[in-house]
Amino acid sequence: MSAEPDGPEDRLRRFATIWSRAVFPATSTSLTRPEFEELLLPLARRLSEALRARTYDAEEGRAVGAALVEAHCTEPEALSSALDCVDAYLVLYCGGDGHQEDLRARAARLQSAMAAGYAEALRQRTLTEQEAIARAALEAQGAVARALHATEARFRAVFEGAAIGIGIADLDGNILQVNGALLRMFGVTEQARLARCVTEWTHPEDAPQVWRLYEELVRAEREHYHTEKAFYRPDGTVLWTNLTVSLLRDADGNPQYQLALMEDTTERRLLNLRLRYEATHDALTGLPNRTLFFERLEKALAAGDGQRFGLCYLDLDGFKAINDSLGHAAGDRLLVEIADRLQSCATAPGEMVARLGGDEFVALTTGPDTESEVDDLADRIMNALVTPVRIDGRELLVRGSIGIVEGPAGERGPAEVLRSADITMYRAKSAGGNRYEVADAEADARAITRHGLTTALPAALDRGEFFIEYQPLVHLGDGTVRGAEALVRWLHPQHGVLGPDRFIPLAERTGLIVPLGRWVLEQSVRQAREWQQRHGGRGPLRVNVNLSPCQLTHPGLVQDTVEILERAGLEPDALCLEVTESALIGADDDLLKPLRRLAEMGIDIALDDFGTGYSNLANLRRLPVRVLKLDRSFTQGMQQFPADPVDLKIVEGIVSLAHSLDLAVTVEGVETGAQAEQLRILGCDTAQGWYYARPGPPERLHELALVDATG
Ligand code: C2E
Ligand code: MG
Ligand code: MG
């Protein structure tokens, strides 16, 4: 035996073998099983190719379904066993190395198409058969008139032997005769168990036109009609049929009887319902899936005037952690429990809950009053999550973030609404989770440009779209310019000048901050060197450069900085690196080592935005820091006059502590002369703010420095 793994052709053949074994017993073919397998092989190939084709083509599935009818796979069980087999083995044997979930979804759609193609082909065949029978019946009736016994006998034979149900009634609806097939469909053995009159055969699901067509027929205004109709069997169950009713006339052309031909479609209908259910529901939780949700949302958004919709987009907080730590089985059980709870939150008419995938769920409410209803819905969902979920004897606390979108029908499409909900959900998440946020167009637009900006960032550095502005640092004692902080900006081709708050967080997330930060450092160091050369001996002009937390942990930091300083010929003590307080909270010695090395070389380290984090003041001693930059919020407290006494006390305390640790204090955001004076009295060393100058081009600093040197 060969140890070679099967090739695709072998696998296809195996699928065809299994398929033929499953379906063969339910055929009325005259072929042998191996012959039948040969017949299925091209169909299997067709399915296999359709499964992996780049785009889905329902026609392929329908053609295979029709071919099954052609091959006499028409016994009641045939279609379901063919589909079961496709369901179980197609992806397995013909999926190749495609993405499993996509393949399964594709296979499900192919099955639906097969069922549809099968039903259509069968209907066509039955119609042809029915026509033949109707012709025979007509001939027989004519023959009765002429008392030709032979034809009558032939009709009897067709009547009794037919696989489809046949019934004859007079034009008042009195049922005269039914055949064995019809009795079997109704689950009875004798005609007496059936209704006596056709008009008793009503069913709540009768199409509105059914009884109108009937009336027209018995009034001889039409020769026949065809419809899909349900009947109650005597045992109360429902029988679905394809029904054709024809008018029979006598030899002189006078209407005399009605002939009903019915084909049992109950099985097929159930199967279609099942397929439809599977294609539109999530297998794990049983909730409607993305497909069904989109259909419903589309309908809600297309509703008429005065109709509104409200949508809650829920994502569980920290679900990945649960999955990773307790395993997928536990994660699945959690999702099932959550799905049940959500389901009970949306039970009113017009409400629905669906699972979009993973730990993402949506709840939809529709109608005229969704403005208030959607908030209630979100509250109910949040409440439903409050009780911990018990899994494996553990109590799991589940939280979620919800994005709410609400609005009138007729304005937006489903994709746009869902995107807005998704963005809003992320807003709730980044605000800490366990909350809901309501969508607003402005926040959406910001988030969308954020996405655009992230993708444009790398090229922007190559294209030289960044530039640096410098904001002077002024000595509070004598008012001289001592240096400047470098603040980076992005001249975006579409959005104009963007401040660092717009793109630094994105650069940090994508890692671009490292090359960008290095570029800023290079430029600023070169600029500082130029100032010094221009300024001659009148005191060194220093430059402050901001460092991101990611840059701190980058292994090249010390090396890069040394090289940059050497290349520009700038002394290390003309450089100050600003690190935010939050980046150093809880920093261990490993993180502090590069900073310490830089400090040892003579570079100043400043603790930026001091007072916004919660660092322990006693901790300051551990840090290789020379300067505290007091956050703008302290300065703001001094804007009114008299200044807030508590703020004054705090600043005074910080300054005296800093000085006792030999740290200099710089204040940010000085906007008025009164503030500057106040801060000077409190003992701050340097200041920065609009009162002195806004950030600007490097030449401006040169002028400013000259002005105070002469003034
Ligand atoms: P920061 O280091 O605290 O910079 C001070 C911010 O306060 C600057 O905002 C500045 O324009 C602003 N500012 C200065 N004076 C006043 C004033 O009197 N009133 C008010 N209201 N604001 C004032 P900007 O330029 O938007 O920078 C924001 C933050 O971006 C900076 O905060 C810094 O953390 C970061 N950043 C700037 N450039 C860089 C960089 O090259 N690398 C890194 N990693 N971060 C940077
Ligand atoms: Mg700064
Ligand atoms: Mg700052």
Side-chain angles (χ1 to χ4, degrees):
M1 219 179 95
S2 146
E4 283 285 295
D6 286 349
E9 200 55 35
D10 300 317
R11 298 171 70 81
L12 181 70
R13 165 63 73 177
R14 277 222 239 151
F15 172 65
T17 309
I18 295 174
W19 202 19
S20 71
R21 286 208 182 104
V23 182
F24 187 69
T27 62
S28 48
T29 178
S30 53
L31 301 178
T32 63
R33 216 274 306 151
E35 285 167 347
F36 182 65
E37 181 181 323
E38 286 311 313
L39 192 131
L40 285 190
L41 188 61
L43 302 184
R45 189 182 312 283
R46 225 168 152 168
L47 285 180
S48 159
E49 279 162 10
L51 178 71
R52 283 169 290 114
R54 225 160 54 82
T55 53
Y56 168 70
D57 182 1
E59 193 38 53
E60 291 299 300
R62 278 201 292 270
V64 172
L68 289 177
V69 174
E70 187 79 4
H72 300 283
C73 304
T74 46
E75 298 295 305
E77 280 302 297
L79 178 60
S80 56
S81 49
L83 292 179
D84 283 345
C85 190
V86 169
D87 192 44
Y89 300 106
L90 180 65
V91 171
L92 194 65
Y93 283 106
C94 306
D97 47 12
H99 186 263
Q100 282 298 311
E101 220 167 279
D102 294 345
L103 289 169
R104 293 225 63 87
R106 172 71 65 89
R109 297 179 75 182
L110 280 172
Q111 289 176 63
S112 296
M114 275 174 70
Y118 182 93
E120 177 55 25
L122 199 58
R123 202 177 69 81
Q124 280 304 333
R125 215 190 61 163
T126 316
L127 272 181
T128 322
E129 229 170 58
Q130 285 175 345
E131 265 163 34
I133 293 173
R135 256 199 315 276
L138 270 175
E139 270 173 30
Q141 290 300 321
V144 168
R146 275 172 271 130
L148 266 180
H149 196 77
T151 336
E152 161 70 17
R154 204 162 67 219
F155 174 64
R156 283 273 131 231
V158 172
F159 186 79
E160 284 309 333
I164 61 178
I166 307 176
I168 298 176
D170 65 21
L171 296 183
D172 295 327
N174 299 309
I175 297 166
L176 305 175
Q177 220 174 7
V178 297
N179 71 349
L182 191 140
L183 290 176
R184 279 194 296 281
M185 283 181 194
F186 279 84
V188 296
T189 48
E190 54 200 273
Q191 190 176 337
R193 301 263 290 123
L194 296 178
R196 283 177 207 289
C197 187
V198 173
T199 49
E200 291 169 44
W201 260 336
T202 56
H203 188 274
E205 288 193 56
D206 285 341
Q209 76 277 13
V210 167
W211 292 103
R212 185 174 50 76
L213 292 171
Y214 174 81
E215 289 300 329
E216 288 173 11
L217 184 109
V218 296
R219 287 200 303 265
E221 289 163 18
R222 64 165 52 242
E223 293 304 309
H224 47 244
Y225 66 89
H226 178 85
T227 185
E228 218 189 341
K229 180 169 159 40
F231 296 89
Y232 281 118
R233 297 194 182 98
D235 69 1
T237 58
V238 176
L239 164 74
W240 274 95
T241 64
N242 269 333
L243 174 70
T244 305
V245 183
S246 309
L247 186 66
L248 297 184
R249 294 173 188 268
D250 64 17
D252 303 324
N254 297 319
Q256 213 149 34
Y257 302 107
Q258 47 177 323
L259 172 77
L261 302 172
M262 50 178 78
E263 176 209 1
D264 184 347
T265 56
T266 316
E267 272 263 325
R268 228 183 299 150
R269 206 182 148 84
L270 284 178
L271 194 66
N272 268 327
L273 288 178
R274 195 194 85 193
L275 286 174
R276 160 87 187 147
Y277 184 87
E278 280 173 7
T280 53
H281 286 76
D282 170 46
L284 176 66
T285 62
L287 286 183
N289 66 9
R290 179 180 278 274
T291 309
L292 184 54
F293 171 71
F294 252 82
E295 279 174 21
R296 294 284 286 277
L297 181 61
E298 212 157 23
K299 210 184 278 169
L301 294 177
D305 263 357
Q307 293 297 306
R308 304 180 69 88
F309 73 96
L311 185 108
C312 297
Y313 191 119
L314 167 74
D315 187 290
L316 300 183
D317 297 338
F319 178 70
K320 192 178 165 336
I322 294 181
N323 236 355
D324 290 350
S325 59
L326 300 183
H328 284 255
D332 281 357
R333 258 176 295 153
L334 179 84
L335 289 174
V336 171
E337 167 70 23
I338 297 297
D340 283 350
R341 293 188 188 182
L342 293 179
Q343 182 101 72
S344 60
C345 292
T347 50
E351 293 182 339
M352 90 178 287
V353 167
R355 179 180 177 214
L356 296 186
D359 61 343
E360 288 175 18
F361 298 88
V362 277
L364 177 68
T365 164
T366 54
D369 303 314
T370 55
E371 250 171 310
S372 59
E373 285 166 5
V374 76
D375 288 342
D376 293 344
L377 184 58
D379 281 331
R380 287 202 298 275
I381 293 176
M382 293 307 266
N383 276 332
L385 298 180
V386 165
T387 323
V389 179
R390 261 193 98 78
I391 282 172
D392 296 341
R394 255 179 240 251
E395 304 254 293
L396 297 178
L397 220 53
V398 182
R399 296 278 178 262
S401 304
I402 298 180
I404 298 180
V405 184
E406 197 279 334
E411 287 185 357
R412 286 180 282 178
E416 193 186 338
V417 167
L418 216 61
R419 184 177 58 189
S420 170
D422 185 42
I423 289 171
T424 313
M425 182 275 292
Y426 268 104
R427 196 143 48 78
K429 211 153 251 221
S430 39
N434 190 25
R435 72 190 63 215
Y436 59 79
E437 294 278 341
V438 181
D440 80 279
E442 235 175 74
D444 281 13
R446 271 203 305 277
I448 291 162
T449 35
R450 192 158 66 217
H451 174 74
L453 290 182
T454 310
T455 45
L457 261 175
L461 187 56
D462 296 336
R463 279 202 291 260
E465 290 173 1
F466 293 101
F467 67 97
I468 300 174
E469 287 191 321
Y470 296 89
Q471 186 176 35
L473 287 154
V474 176
H475 191 264
L476 276 170
D478 58 15
T480 55
V481 175
R482 295 295 173 92
E485 177 174 7
L487 295 163
V488 64
R489 276 95 180 82
W490 178 4
L491 180 56
H492 190 283
Q494 273 103 49
H495 302 296
V497 174
L498 301 177
D501 292 337
R502 292 288 298 278
F503 60 85
I504 292 286
L506 307 179
E508 285 175 339
R509 226 173 302 145
T510 55
L512 190 85
I513 191 69
V514 172
L516 177 62
R518 194 184 301 126
W519 178 83
V520 171
L521 187 64
E522 252 163 20
Q523 295 293 309
S524 318
V525 162
R526 205 175 309 143
Q527 187 58 57
R529 175 75 186 136
E530 201 182 305
W531 285 327
Q532 288 190 344
Q533 286 171 333
R534 288 238 210 152
H535 253 253
R538 260 175 291 124
L541 265 183
R542 312 169 68 230
V543 72
N544 285 31
V545 176
N546 292 284
L547 274 195
S548 271
C550 325
Q551 290 173 272
L552 274 185
T553 51
H554 190 264
L557 175 68
V558 175
Q559 182 75 17
D560 283 355
T561 310
V562 171
E563 278 172 19
I564 287 170
L565 285 172
E566 280 176 359
R567 225 177 303 137
L570 190 75
E571 295 302 317
D573 62 6
L575 176 64
C576 174
L577 294 176
E578 299 191 1
V579 184
T580 58
E581 186 190 5
S582 50
L584 294 186
I585 287 180
D588 57 14
D589 278 341
D590 277 348
L591 186 72
L592 292 178
K593 206 181 281 167
L595 274 189
R596 207 161 267 139
R597 292 273 308 281
L598 293 167
E600 283 159 5
M601 277 160 32
I603 296 171
D604 277 351
I605 309 294
L607 207 50
D608 203 356
D609 302 342
F610 185 79
T612 54
Y614 305 94
S615 62
N616 186 342
L617 287 180
N619 215 3
L620 282 175
R621 212 179 325 187
R622 264 183 65 229
L623 303 176
V625 166
R626 285 288 312 281
V627 183
L628 285 192
K629 285 190 83 170
L630 271 193
D631 188 67
R632 215 166 41 229
S633 48
F634 291 104
T635 336
Q636 265 159 9
M638 278 163 220
Q639 220 149 23
Q640 64 277 51
F641 189 85
D644 179 1
V646 181
D647 267 351
L648 289 183
K649 267 267 164 294
I650 293 175
V651 174
E652 195 176 14
I654 292 177
V655 170
S656 79
L657 175 81
H659 284 168
S660 73
L661 291 171
D662 213 13
L663 303 178
V665 178
T666 300
V667 284
E668 293 183 324
V670 180
E671 294 180 357
T672 65
Q675 286 172 331
E677 182 54 17
Q678 189 68 258
L679 290 159
R680 191 187 62 77
I681 294 168
L682 289 172
C684 297
D685 304 284
T686 28
Q688 178 181 358
W690 297 347
Y691 172 61
Y692 306 101
R694 300 219 174 204
E699 308 79 55
R700 264 260 308 285
L701 195 91
H702 182 64
E703 291 160 22
L704 284 169
L706 278 180
V707 169
D708 18 81
T710 53

PDB file of all heavy atoms in Angstrom, residues 92 110 143 198 234 237 267 270 289 305 466 499 527 584 591 606 609 643 670 711:
ATOM      1  N   LEU A  92     -14.816  18.624   4.088  1.00  0.00           N
ATOM      2  CA  LEU A  92     -13.769  17.710   4.546  1.00  0.00           C
ATOM      3  C   LEU A  92     -12.928  17.193   3.387  1.00  0.00           C
ATOM      4  O   LEU A  92     -11.701  17.194   3.424  1.00  0.00           O
ATOM      5  CB  LEU A  92     -14.449  16.540   5.264  1.00  0.00           C
ATOM      6  CG  LEU A  92     -13.557  15.653   6.098  1.00  0.00           C
ATOM      7  CD1 LEU A  92     -12.990  16.435   7.261  1.00  0.00           C
ATOM      8  CD2 LEU A  92     -14.383  14.469   6.617  1.00  0.00           C
ATOM      9  N   LEU A 110     -24.465  26.508  -0.735  1.00  0.00           N
ATOM     10  CA  LEU A 110     -24.608  25.576  -1.852  1.00  0.00           C
ATOM     11  C   LEU A 110     -25.748  24.594  -1.589  1.00  0.00           C
ATOM     12  O   LEU A 110     -26.504  24.237  -2.495  1.00  0.00           O
ATOM     13  CB  LEU A 110     -23.302  24.812  -2.070  1.00  0.00           C
ATOM     14  CG  LEU A 110     -22.215  25.576  -2.841  1.00  0.00           C
ATOM     15  CD1 LEU A 110     -20.906  24.814  -2.820  1.00  0.00           C
ATOM     16  CD2 LEU A 110     -22.657  25.847  -4.272  1.00  0.00           C
ATOM     17  N   ALA A 143     -64.621   9.191 -23.239  1.00  0.00           N
ATOM     18  CA  ALA A 143     -64.869   7.784 -23.547  1.00  0.00           C
ATOM     19  C   ALA A 143     -66.104   7.268 -22.830  1.00  0.00           C
ATOM     20  O   ALA A 143     -66.883   6.493 -23.394  1.00  0.00           O
ATOM     21  CB  ALA A 143     -63.651   6.950 -23.152  1.00  0.00           C
ATOM     22  N   VAL A 198     -65.058  19.978  -0.885  1.00  0.00           N
ATOM     23  CA  VAL A 198     -63.795  20.682  -1.121  1.00  0.00           C
ATOM     24  C   VAL A 198     -63.706  21.967  -0.293  1.00  0.00           C
ATOM     25  O   VAL A 198     -62.650  22.317   0.223  1.00  0.00           O
ATOM     26  CB  VAL A 198     -63.664  21.010  -2.625  1.00  0.00           C
ATOM     27  CG1 VAL A 198     -62.450  21.879  -2.882  1.00  0.00           C
ATOM     28  CG2 VAL A 198     -63.610  19.741  -3.441  1.00  0.00           C
ATOM     29  N   PRO A 234     -56.572  14.512   8.995  1.00  0.00           N
ATOM     30  CA  PRO A 234     -57.508  14.201  10.087  1.00  0.00           C
ATOM     31  C   PRO A 234     -56.822  14.130  11.449  1.00  0.00           C
ATOM     32  O   PRO A 234     -57.428  14.430  12.473  1.00  0.00           O
ATOM     33  CB  PRO A 234     -58.076  12.838   9.688  1.00  0.00           C
ATOM     34  CG  PRO A 234     -57.965  12.816   8.200  1.00  0.00           C
ATOM     35  CD  PRO A 234     -56.721  13.584   7.864  1.00  0.00           C
ATOM     36  N   THR A 237     -52.156  17.094  11.847  1.00  0.00           N
ATOM     37  CA  THR A 237     -50.896  17.572  11.285  1.00  0.00           C
ATOM     38  C   THR A 237     -51.157  18.259   9.951  1.00  0.00           C
ATOM     39  O   THR A 237     -52.258  18.186   9.411  1.00  0.00           O
ATOM     40  CB  THR A 237     -49.903  16.421  11.076  1.00  0.00           C
ATOM     41  OG1 THR A 237     -50.516  15.463  10.219  1.00  0.00           O
ATOM     42  CG2 THR A 237     -49.539  15.761  12.404  1.00  0.00           C
ATOM     43  N   GLU A 267     -42.192  17.374   3.209  1.00  0.00           N
ATOM     44  CA  GLU A 267     -40.796  17.074   3.544  1.00  0.00           C
ATOM     45  C   GLU A 267     -39.857  18.147   3.021  1.00  0.00           C
ATOM     46  O   GLU A 267     -38.991  18.643   3.726  1.00  0.00           O
ATOM     47  CB  GLU A 267     -40.402  15.751   2.880  1.00  0.00           C
ATOM     48  CG  GLU A 267     -40.693  14.539   3.703  1.00  0.00           C
ATOM     49  CD  GLU A 267     -39.458  14.095   4.460  1.00  0.00           C
ATOM     50  OE1 GLU A 267     -38.351  14.240   3.919  1.00  0.00           O
ATOM     51  OE2 GLU A 267     -39.617  13.623   5.587  1.00  0.00           O
ATOM     52  N   LEU A 270     -40.146  21.385   4.831  1.00  0.00           N
ATOM     53  CA  LEU A 270     -39.477  21.340   6.136  1.00  0.00           C
ATOM     54  C   LEU A 270     -37.970  21.458   5.956  1.00  0.00           C
ATOM     55  O   LEU A 270     -37.280  22.169   6.681  1.00  0.00           O
ATOM     56  CB  LEU A 270     -39.802  20.032   6.859  1.00  0.00           C
ATOM     57  CG  LEU A 270     -41.198  19.972   7.456  1.00  0.00           C
ATOM     58  CD1 LEU A 270     -41.429  18.620   8.106  1.00  0.00           C
ATOM     59  CD2 LEU A 270     -41.374  21.098   8.486  1.00  0.00           C
ATOM     60  N   ASN A 289     -28.161  35.053  13.093  1.00  0.00           N
ATOM     61  CA  ASN A 289     -26.773  35.403  12.798  1.00  0.00           C
ATOM     62  C   ASN A 289     -26.693  36.718  12.013  1.00  0.00           C
ATOM     63  O   ASN A 289     -27.694  37.398  11.803  1.00  0.00           O
ATOM     64  CB  ASN A 289     -26.078  34.248  12.068  1.00  0.00           C
ATOM     65  CG  ASN A 289     -26.665  34.020  10.690  1.00  0.00           C
ATOM     66  OD1 ASN A 289     -27.480  34.803  10.196  1.00  0.00           O
ATOM     67  ND2 ASN A 289     -26.249  32.942  10.057  1.00  0.00           N
ATOM     68  N   ASP A 305     -42.159  56.493   6.286  1.00  0.00           N
ATOM     69  CA  ASP A 305     -42.120  57.725   7.072  1.00  0.00           C
ATOM     70  C   ASP A 305     -42.515  57.490   8.518  1.00  0.00           C
ATOM     71  O   ASP A 305     -43.421  56.714   8.795  1.00  0.00           O
ATOM     72  CB  ASP A 305     -43.104  58.740   6.470  1.00  0.00           C
ATOM     73  CG  ASP A 305     -42.375  59.693   5.547  1.00  0.00           C
ATOM     74  OD1 ASP A 305     -41.132  59.562   5.471  1.00  0.00           O
ATOM     75  OD2 ASP A 305     -43.045  60.533   4.919  1.00  0.00           O
ATOM     76  N   PHE A 466       6.219  65.886   8.158  1.00  0.00           N
ATOM     77  CA  PHE A 466       6.277  66.364   9.547  1.00  0.00           C
ATOM     78  C   PHE A 466       7.174  67.588   9.648  1.00  0.00           C
ATOM     79  O   PHE A 466       8.122  67.748   8.890  1.00  0.00           O
ATOM     80  CB  PHE A 466       6.826  65.256  10.452  1.00  0.00           C
ATOM     81  CG  PHE A 466       5.899  64.088  10.563  1.00  0.00           C
ATOM     82  CD1 PHE A 466       6.128  62.923   9.835  1.00  0.00           C
ATOM     83  CD2 PHE A 466       4.778  64.148  11.372  1.00  0.00           C
ATOM     84  CE1 PHE A 466       5.265  61.841   9.917  1.00  0.00           C
ATOM     85  CE2 PHE A 466       3.911  63.070  11.468  1.00  0.00           C
ATOM     86  CZ  PHE A 466       4.150  61.922  10.738  1.00  0.00           C
ATOM     87  N   GLY A 499      -2.126  68.530  15.020  1.00  0.00           N
ATOM     88  CA  GLY A 499      -1.350  68.567  16.252  1.00  0.00           C
ATOM     89  C   GLY A 499      -0.961  67.164  16.692  1.00  0.00           C
ATOM     90  O   GLY A 499      -1.571  66.187  16.258  1.00  0.00           O
ATOM     91  N   GLN A 527      18.974  71.788  15.398  1.00  0.00           N
ATOM     92  CA  GLN A 527      18.475  73.151  15.563  1.00  0.00           C
ATOM     93  C   GLN A 527      19.130  73.831  16.770  1.00  0.00           C
ATOM     94  O   GLN A 527      19.550  74.989  16.693  1.00  0.00           O
ATOM     95  CB  GLN A 527      16.954  73.120  15.749  1.00  0.00           C
ATOM     96  CG  GLN A 527      16.298  74.476  15.768  1.00  0.00           C
ATOM     97  CD  GLN A 527      16.571  75.242  14.486  1.00  0.00           C
ATOM     98  OE1 GLN A 527      16.270  74.768  13.397  1.00  0.00           O
ATOM     99  NE2 GLN A 527      17.177  76.416  14.601  1.00  0.00           N
ATOM    100  N   LEU A 584       6.398  56.549  33.813  1.00  0.00           N
ATOM    101  CA  LEU A 584       7.359  56.075  34.803  1.00  0.00           C
ATOM    102  C   LEU A 584       6.703  55.482  36.041  1.00  0.00           C
ATOM    103  O   LEU A 584       7.376  54.964  36.918  1.00  0.00           O
ATOM    104  CB  LEU A 584       8.287  57.208  35.220  1.00  0.00           C
ATOM    105  CG  LEU A 584       9.212  57.716  34.101  1.00  0.00           C
ATOM    106  CD1 LEU A 584      10.195  58.726  34.648  1.00  0.00           C
ATOM    107  CD2 LEU A 584       9.955  56.567  33.444  1.00  0.00           C
ATOM    108  N   LEU A 591      13.606  49.404  33.238  1.00  0.00           N
ATOM    109  CA  LEU A 591      13.084  50.496  32.422  1.00  0.00           C
ATOM    110  C   LEU A 591      13.876  51.772  32.674  1.00  0.00           C
ATOM    111  O   LEU A 591      14.074  52.596  31.786  1.00  0.00           O
ATOM    112  CB  LEU A 591      11.604  50.714  32.747  1.00  0.00           C
ATOM    113  CG  LEU A 591      10.914  51.745  31.856  1.00  0.00           C
ATOM    114  CD1 LEU A 591      10.717  51.176  30.469  1.00  0.00           C
ATOM    115  CD2 LEU A 591       9.578  52.167  32.449  1.00  0.00           C
ATOM    116  N   ALA A 606      13.315  65.419  32.153  1.00  0.00           N
ATOM    117  CA  ALA A 606      12.233  66.163  32.793  1.00  0.00           C
ATOM    118  C   ALA A 606      11.016  65.258  32.939  1.00  0.00           C
ATOM    119  O   ALA A 606      10.727  64.438  32.063  1.00  0.00           O
ATOM    120  CB  ALA A 606      11.871  67.386  31.956  1.00  0.00           C
ATOM    121  N   ASP A 609       4.172  66.846  32.385  1.00  0.00           N
ATOM    122  CA  ASP A 609       2.775  66.771  32.841  1.00  0.00           C
ATOM    123  C   ASP A 609       2.688  66.326  34.294  1.00  0.00           C
ATOM    124  O   ASP A 609       1.788  65.561  34.671  1.00  0.00           O
ATOM    125  CB  ASP A 609       1.958  65.816  31.964  1.00  0.00           C
ATOM    126  CG  ASP A 609       1.984  66.227  30.503  1.00  0.00           C
ATOM    127  OD1 ASP A 609       2.323  67.395  30.241  1.00  0.00           O
ATOM    128  OD2 ASP A 609       1.688  65.388  29.645  1.00  0.00           O
ATOM    129  N   ALA A 643      -6.233  83.731  43.217  1.00  0.00           N
ATOM    130  CA  ALA A 643      -6.084  82.342  42.807  1.00  0.00           C
ATOM    131  C   ALA A 643      -6.637  81.408  43.874  1.00  0.00           C
ATOM    132  O   ALA A 643      -6.717  81.762  45.053  1.00  0.00           O
ATOM    133  CB  ALA A 643      -4.614  82.035  42.570  1.00  0.00           C
ATOM    134  N   VAL A 670       1.347  78.910  30.851  1.00  0.00           N
ATOM    135  CA  VAL A 670       1.209  80.260  31.409  1.00  0.00           C
ATOM    136  C   VAL A 670       0.615  81.170  30.345  1.00  0.00           C
ATOM    137  O   VAL A 670       1.207  81.368  29.289  1.00  0.00           O
ATOM    138  CB  VAL A 670       2.575  80.814  31.859  1.00  0.00           C
ATOM    139  CG1 VAL A 670       2.429  82.223  32.433  1.00  0.00           C
ATOM    140  CG2 VAL A 670       3.201  79.874  32.869  1.00  0.00           C
ATOM    141  N   GLY A 711      16.763  93.748  25.451  1.00  0.00           N
ATOM    142  CA  GLY A 711      15.738  94.508  26.122  1.00  0.00           C
ATOM    143  C   GLY A 711      15.877  94.506  27.629  1.00  0.00           C
ATOM    144  O   GLY A 711      16.757  93.939  28.210  1.00  0.00           O
TER     145      GLY A 711
END
